[in-house]
Amino acid sequence: MGVVEDRIGPVRPRDRFLHGESVEGSVRGPILHSWQRSQLLGISPDQSELPFTQDFDPEGRLIRAARPVLDRLESVFAGSRMNISLADGYGTVLERRFGEKSMVKHLPPIQTVPGFVFAEQFAGTNGIGLTLAERRLCQVFGAEHFAERSQSSACTAIPLRDQLSGHIEGVLCLGYPYTDADPALVPVVRKAGEAIERRLMEQSSARERGLLHAYLEAASRTGAEDHSGNGHALAMSELLQSELEQSDQMTLKEKATELMSSAQWAAAEVPLSRDRWVTLVSRPVTSPSGVEGIVIEALLPDEDDRHAPAPTGPPPGPLSRATPRTPTRAARPPGTSTTSTAPGTAGAAGSEDTAGGMVRGLVLVGEPEVGKYAVAARRRLELLAEASNSIGTTLDVDRTAWELAETAVPRLADFVTIDVPEAVLRGEESAHPTSEMRRTVVHGIREDCPFYPVGEQLTLRPTTPHMRSLITGQPVLEPDLKAAFGWIAQDPEHAELLLAHNIHSLITVPLFARGVLLGIASFYRSQDPAPYGDDDRSLAKELAARAALCIDNARRYTREHTLALALQRSLLPRGLPDQDAVEVAHRYLPAESGVGGDWFDVIPLSGTRVALLVGDVVGHGLHAAATMGRLRTAARNFAELELAPDELLTHLDNLMVRLDREEGGDNPALGSGIVGATFLYAVYDPTTQRCTMARAGHPPPALVHPDGTVTLLELPAGPPLGLGGLPFESVEMRLPEHSQLVLYTDGLIEDRHRDIDVALDELIRALAHPDRAPEETCQAVLDAVAPEHPGDDIALLVARTNAVSPDRIASWDLAADPAMVGEVRAAAVSQLDRWGLEESSFATELLLSELVTNAVRYGTAPIRVRLILDRTLICEVYDASSTAPRMRHAASTDEGGRGLFLVAQLAQAWGTRYTTGGKVIWAECALTAA
């Protein structure tokens, strides 16, 4: 291997690469990819043999277009060591020019003689080959050349495209010594390439003008020989401007372009607005220079028949309605003004004729390939327009990827695969996207193609077009997969299976949005024998860009939805508390479109009572979930204060008003604030089977009676929380034992696809089964009533009531006499003996002694004592005073003040609750207390 000085290109990285070491980051991406492909092809750096051919036309279309530009470049670089090369689309050098004529004597034949092929698969990394592979302007410096013979030079090359077809017709390459590299060469090469492409376009225009001239000359000669016609003539331009609406004109031109692309004799019936019709006829024509093209003529009914209804039945076959015959009037001369409806196609306004009651005129004339290109361009625009409406209809990453594939098949690709990092599917950004790819979508015209299945994790080699696309961030086109050695090397057996299914061309496009790599889309072609071209690559890139933005929106939404759902679930009850008042079951179902602020709760209260809560914060997302958590915490705290339902709602309403003010509700510039919440609060007492309820704008609860009757309880609606200043009202009613109280949020019954009354009827029917357990009732309600795709959260709480047996309750009414304390203590001890709680007698006797003494001394008659045997032994002392006792720390010299301290030590819990007529001091004592 020859030695090249370090100043000439990346010699050391290249040597490391040849020895199998990693050089990523020290070599430009396109060069590294080319080196890898060259190595896969078995090309060695000391290779010197290149294919040579003389089988090219020295006066071909590309050479004719480029020759004046090459002359200009040769003049500009006169006296320099510039080597100017023109190659065709296969890498064969067609012509060479030199700034210094004497260079021919000192350079080897491969650098001076036209005919050598510099495609990458033969010459390795070089300017011409790399430009054809990358399909864009490329530069190669010094040792970036894979072959040693070129490592003392540098080159800048640009592809030359046919502007009509988009195909690469050739390459313009400037070669020069490495030491003469100059950034100013890039704009020079670009300008020269654009000039050659313009001249190629002018050649196409000249061909089209020749076809139009041939058609008009033929019509003129034919018209001069025939003087028998006497019909009415109407120029097509006059018709287009005077009688056809804009939509009709577009329809006529689009159909004419399609007929031109068919390249054969044909006819088509084109329906127009207002029950009109026109027949388009296509026929071949040849210009004097031998260019073959297609003429599209229109046949319309004459003045008397033009507005007649279109005939019924199937359209006639080619030329069956009216076959053009010899024109009766001479056509306009070749200088007639023309209109172009597609690049490279001409439309004449002046050739007209009548035939058999028909008006005949020229619509388009051009080459079939140009018509195909125009049709393809229009269909690409239609596909992009459709993609705007069909991609991103949901905020789901998987579904959005599927929509991209469904849009592309079959109009762009026969098969589409989409690979997405696992982190993106979870709504996150992937730290290592290239190593976490997972097959997410496989979609195509058939299901038997052996692509890697959905769900499989992929490991991509650096030489694959997929990895090249991910690294560069640009789409990669492989027009011939049989020659795509990097793609084949990924998995030769798998590649062989795909090639056996006639998959022959590939475009890979990275899915980038807002600087985040979201995956890669691969478009495969099998049915169309033509390989993908640059236009297809541009279309795939545009589709992928739109899809990537939608996928990123879905990813961001997924992340927020996941966070909100996690927050929501963390704020909901983890489990239900132990209590015997009701048997409870619950369900929480998040909305498909976003997490809301629905919640439920079950709170045990003193005296075996239980509070049931269901609420719904207006809105969705993290803000609603966080607000729900704050509101639920406040509701629990207020419930612990033993507030009546209407008082509790008033306190929550004030809290919501304050939160709204704190978060900018009074100042629109600070945000929208909290809109409000609905709430339902119920307290059930199993000792009396009475339930007190109040609601704030919430749907009414349902009551399932033991006999199966279902009633929607008529409670005062009350305003939603957050409005402020409006009163709430409580309602008390008796609930029969084993009845079911059903509380729910509006997401259960409100759905845009059905009336709310219908939903309530479905709820009543689903509840009319009193023999069900609460768990079964919950599931039955969701199955029968919940929307298939809920647009709002659903919280459901079902409570079947129990009652405390009278023999587990003992009560005594006392006079406000201290002497009654001893009698109550004795009666309580006797009751405990009957309950078998002799071990609890001492502690209970002390508790009652202190509580009754306080009631007699500081309270107001009447005084009532009650013992309840539940999970604990509950002692309650009622009096008519609203003054609550307060525990304090008594000094060593104080004679009193230790009673409540003793109560707190003996009881598991104690407290005060207020009633409409006074207060209750209660204490709970463990059944095993001594």
Side-chain angles (χ1 to χ4, degrees), residues 34-212:
S34 181
W35 284 0
Q36 291 167 340
R37 292 193 296 269
S38 299
Q39 195 172 50
L40 284 172
L41 291 167
I43 299 174
S44 61
D46 56 357
Q47 178 177 334
S48 60
E49 296 295 329
L50 292 181
F52 178 78
T53 179
Q54 293 179 320
D55 187 20
F56 62 88
D57 184 2
E59 295 297 326
R61 175 169 173 253
L62 177 60
I63 295 178
R64 294 199 313 272
R67 188 163 289 155
V69 180
L70 297 178
D71 292 340
R72 174 61 178 166
L73 289 174
E74 185 177 11
S75 173
V76 169
F77 292 109
S80 69
R81 293 181 291 175
M82 185 67 67
N83 186 337
I84 306 165
S85 304
L86 177 70
D88 64 14
Y90 301 98
T92 303
V93 175
L94 305 178
E95 190 163 338
R96 285 191 181 273
R97 303 290 183 89
F98 301 94
E100 175 57 55
K101 303 293 185 181
S102 61
M103 290 178 60
V104 179
K105 301 178 182 179
H106 306 290
L107 295 177
I110 61 171
Q111 294 182 343
T112 57
V113 179
F116 285 96
V117 182
F118 280 81
E120 190 181 66
Q121 60 264 37
F122 304 115
T125 307
N126 69 93
I128 294 174
L130 185 61
T131 299
L132 290 174
E134 295 289 326
R135 307 179 73 82
R136 59 190 175 92
L137 187 145
C138 293
Q139 291 183 292
V140 183
F141 301 99
E144 288 183 338
H145 289 86
F146 203 72
E148 290 182 0
R149 61 170 174 266
S150 302
Q151 291 178 9
S152 62
S153 63
C155 56
T156 301
I158 189 171
L160 305 173
R161 287 181 171 85
D162 185 324
Q163 294 182 357
L164 292 180
S165 66
H167 295 153
I168 293 180
E169 297 291 329
V171 175
L172 175 65
C173 181
L174 300 186
Y176 40 89
Y178 180 82
T179 55
D180 293 349
D182 189 340
L185 286 175
V186 172
V188 172
V189 172
R190 288 192 186 278
K191 186 175 180 181
E194 292 171 357
I196 295 174
E197 289 179 347
R198 282 196 303 270
R199 291 182 58 81
L200 284 172
M201 183 65 183
E202 291 172 359
Q203 290 184 11
S204 298
S205 300
R207 294 160 67 91
E208 301 300 335
R209 287 195 297 270
L211 289 173
L212 178 60

Side-chain angles (χ1 to χ4, degrees), residues 384 391 404 509-514 518 521 523 537-552:
L384 290 176
I391 299 177
L404 169 60
V509 188
L511 300 174
F512 270 103
R514 303 182 180 99
L518 304 170
F523 304 87
R537 181 173 61 172
S538 298
L539 177 59
K541 182 179 180 180
E542 183 67 23
L543 282 177
R546 300 187 184 197
L549 190 60
C550 296
I551 289 175
D552 190 52

Side-chain angles (χ1 to χ4, degrees), residues 583-587 704 738-742 766-767 769-781 796-801:
E583 180 184 349
V584 181
H586 60 86
R587 293 290 189 276
V704 184
H738 298 152
S739 59
Q740 292 189 11
L741 186 64
V742 181
L767 292 175
H769 298 274
D771 53 333
R772 288 179 179 150
E775 283 288 342
E776 296 173 343
T777 300
C778 276
Q779 193 58 49
V781 167
L796 176 64
L797 188 66
V798 177
R800 182 161 63 185
T801 62

